[in-house]
Amino acid sequence: MQGPSLWDAILAEIEKRIRRQQFHTWFRRIGVTDATAERLCLSVPNRFHKEWLESYYSSVIKESSAAVTGKSPEIELVVALSEGASAKAQPDEPGESGDPAPEEPSGRFTFSPIQTFDNFVVGPANRLSHAAAIAVVEAPGRAYNPLFIHGGVGLGKTHLLHAACQAFLAKHLRSRLLYTSCEEFVNDFVSAVQGGTVASLRARMRDLDFLVIDDIHFLARAERTQEEFFHTFNSLYNAHKQIILSSDSPPAEIPSLEERLVSRFKWGLVARIDAPTYETRLAIVRSKAALRGVDVPADVAEFIARNVTTNIRELEGALTRAVGYAALSNRPLNLALAHEALQDVLSSRPLVSIEDIARVVATRYNVKLSDLQGKRRSKSIALPRQVCMHIARRLTEYSLEEIGGFFGGRDHTTVMYADEKIAGLLKSDATLRAAVSEIQSSLTRPSARP
Ligand code: ADP
Ligand code: MG
């Protein structure tokens, strides 16, 4: 046995050894250029994929090959097509043979196989953005145009944008997609002005089917680029081409963004991503562990999810730290080790209790603590109480039942309702948004610790 059938047999062995999600993410897109009992030459879509396989899966590939061939073949991974130096890379999958390589910006980009819809954990804080991103891939230019996703750092905006691009490209092989960071877009425009090539940049931009610009808030202060983007936007919009934008704040709050752009950014759907709840954080820790092929005991996953509440990038960082610490010290990953590995993360982060939240909210809204915990349901008490519940869902590890219990023995559905209601209000009510973010930051500042 050799060639593709040998590789298929090896793949079947690999599939037995790792989890489905890992297999799907890392092995589905591998091609085989040469497979014998002595040598296995595999082609992978991009450099990132290659490095990931080398770091995490070389022993699985070796074991599985040995199980099939009885020998240990030499393994070589090659990147299918050479990558360009910038994010605007070459095709990451070879087209059908004979296809002319598509021209930039219709060229393909190197997207990470992790940043897909499959690997995106959905929870109450990102459900709308996720559903909207899927909808625009299903019905580009028709579902929501533009789709504007905003939220704080590390909450998954770029992940969703990459996922949408990858899903779109999988469905529409020949379409013209451009994914770019706003910073890069501004730079491209500035160099085009300097080099006298604005016309060709403009022509390329306006000939797209799917335009995705990450971190559009970088347009602030880039006046000429705003002007240019305004015309590109109109031209794509009028041709029913899909536009997706991400930003750290809602359109109206991007400083010095022209009013006509602010209003256009609101034409489609403006979706906000909030900080994840405890349950989502836990699911993300599990998912990231599975992708790396590491077993994380339940109490360790819970410990990380409980203690790293700010954003998902830090959550991942904490997992990486714990796993790395176990490997370096050659000890099993258990709760005691996780405590040790994450010591400084924990000491710089105050533990927030429900009482702390109630106290800060009571002061801010000028109500009595006992009222928050009491039965009264007048609006002046109910709103701050709901704010408490919403914040408790984000900053603490308490369950719905425990939170309800603290606030006058209310049941878990009341807490869920309160949380969703406030999350909904935050989308439209800037005053409430400012109040909640101020309360949250005062609670998480180290000095807020008792
Ligand atoms: P942002 O662009 O909002 O700053 P990113 O998209 O870069 O954030 O996300 C930071 C990290 O968190 C990435 O590694 C991303 O894969 C991960 N991440 C964010 N949201 C999720 C999610 N819902 N499920 C799984 N991973 C996520
Ligand atoms: Mg980002």
Side-chain angles (χ1 to χ4, degrees):
M1 191 168 36
Q2 59 180 21
S5 57
L6 174 61
W7 174 238
D8 282 342
I10 296 173
L11 266 185
E13 284 299 317
I14 294 175
E15 198 169 2
K16 285 185 213 158
R17 290 170 160 79
I18 63 180
R19 288 176 219 163
R20 216 177 64 86
Q21 187 187 15
Q22 293 172 258
F23 185 77
H24 195 72
T25 301
W26 300 110
F27 289 92
R28 207 183 29 167
R29 296 200 302 158
I30 294 184
V32 51
T33 51
D34 186 21
T36 64
E38 286 73 39
R39 181 163 175 272
L40 201 54
C41 182
L42 305 172
S43 74
V44 296
N46 54 54
R47 197 175 52 221
F48 177 86
H49 203 121
K50 175 173 187 274
E51 284 166 9
W52 192 282
L53 286 174
E54 285 167 349
S55 316
Y56 295 98
Y57 293 101
S58 54
S59 58
V60 171
I61 301 175
K62 278 186 196 136
E63 279 168 27
S64 308
S65 313
V68 175
T69 61
K71 296 186 183 167
S72 40
E74 182 194 325
I75 293 160
E76 190 186 343
L77 299 175
V78 295
V79 176
L81 280 171
S82 64
E83 288 177 76
S86 73
K88 291 183 183 134
Q90 295 291 311
D92 79 359
E93 274 173 339
E96 293 158 35
S97 58
D99 275 0
E103 279 174 41
E104 262 199 287
S106 47
R108 306 279 202 81
F109 304 86
T110 299
F111 293 111
S112 143
I114 294 181
Q115 311 226 316
T116 60
F117 285 132
D118 282 353
N119 291 330
F120 190 80
V121 176
V122 181
N126 60 24
R127 181 165 286 122
L128 176 65
S129 302
H130 172 257
I134 291 183
V136 300
V137 171
E138 293 298 319
R142 286 179 289 129
Y144 308 108
N145 209 13
L147 170 59
F148 189 100
I149 296 178
H150 68 97
V153 18
L155 296 182
K157 301 181 297 295
T158 299
H159 186 140
L160 270 185
L161 262 42
H162 280 217
C165 290
Q166 304 200 64
F168 180 81
L169 286 173
K171 279 172 84 100
H172 308 276
L173 280 170
R174 300 299 197 81
S175 53
R176 287 152 306 197
L177 172 148
L178 175 68
Y179 169 90
T180 181
S181 70
C182 185
E183 209 173 356
E184 201 179 357
F185 173 63
V186 172
N187 290 340
D188 283 354
F189 181 69
V190 171
S191 345
V193 170
Q194 285 161 355
T197 56
V198 172
S200 82
L201 177 70
R202 190 173 288 160
R204 277 187 293 150
M205 293 292 294
R206 297 187 192 174
D207 193 31
L208 293 166
D209 300 306
F210 207 80
L211 171 63
V212 181
I213 303 189
D214 205 356
D215 294 328
I216 195 76
H217 51 269
F218 271 104
L219 268 190
R221 285 180 292 278
E223 275 169 38
R224 285 219 43 203
T225 317
Q226 287 195 27
E227 166 84 23
E228 185 61 28
F229 183 63
F230 173 75
H231 296 295
T232 297
F233 184 103
N234 290 343
S235 149
L236 292 177
Y237 183 89
N238 290 334
H240 306 285
K241 304 302 188 185
Q242 183 66 47
I243 301 164
I244 309 183
L245 307 168
S246 81
S247 162
D248 64 358
S249 48
E253 291 170 29
I254 300 177
S256 50
L257 184 67
E258 288 178 24
E259 194 44 46
R260 56 187 186 167
L261 280 175
V262 174
S263 75
R264 274 166 180 73
F265 290 177
K266 296 197 266 191
W267 278 354
L269 179 73
V270 175
R272 177 184 153 104
I273 305 191
D274 288 303
T277 59
Y278 170 71
E279 288 80 3
T280 311
R281 297 199 298 274
L282 184 58
I284 290 173
V285 172
R286 293 199 176 120
S287 160
K288 300 287 173 188
L291 279 171
R292 292 167 196 202
V294 291
D295 276 315
V296 175
D299 56 355
V300 172
E302 285 159 16
F303 173 75
I304 295 174
R306 218 182 302 125
N307 287 290
V308 185
T309 56
T310 42
N311 71 51
I312 298 166
R313 193 168 296 139
E314 297 199 351
L315 195 62
E316 271 192 272
L319 174 67
T320 306
R321 192 105 81 89
V323 171
Y325 200 83
L328 285 175
S329 58
N330 209 4
R331 284 157 51 198
L333 178 53
N334 57 27
L335 196 56
L337 180 128
H339 265 278
E340 234 175 278
L342 302 180
Q343 232 166 33
D344 27 317
V345 181
L346 303 180
S347 61
S348 65
R349 194 197 67 90
L351 287 173
V352 177
S353 68
I354 305 188
E355 287 90 335
D356 295 337
I357 295 172
R359 192 170 36 75
V360 174
V361 170
T363 312
R364 166 82 205 205
Y365 282 89
N366 201 16
V367 295
K368 291 205 274 305
L369 197 61
S370 57
D371 282 338
L372 292 176
Q373 293 190 283
K375 295 281 168 224
R376 283 179 54 196
R377 288 201 273 176
S378 62
K379 191 161 179 254
S380 63
I381 306 289
L383 182 78
R385 186 186 290 133
Q386 288 170 332
V387 166
C388 289
M389 293 177 174
H390 173 80
I391 294 177
R393 290 290 286 155
R394 274 154 189 80
L395 296 188
T396 75
E397 74 273 25
Y398 295 103
S399 66
L400 293 165
E401 286 76 12
E402 287 167 316
I403 297 168
F406 181 86
F407 291 102
R410 291 176 159 80
D411 77 9
H412 74 280
T413 54
T414 308
V415 181
M416 237 153 72
Y417 170 81
D419 182 31
E420 278 162 22
K421 183 179 156 196
I422 298 297
L425 286 175
L426 286 174
K427 294 191 177 107
S428 52
D429 185 339
T431 316
L432 181 66
R433 198 153 57 228
V436 168
S437 97
E438 197 186 305
I439 294 166
Q440 294 204 15
S441 47
S442 84
L443 283 162
T444 49
R445 263 196 301 273
S447 58
R449 286 176 98 176

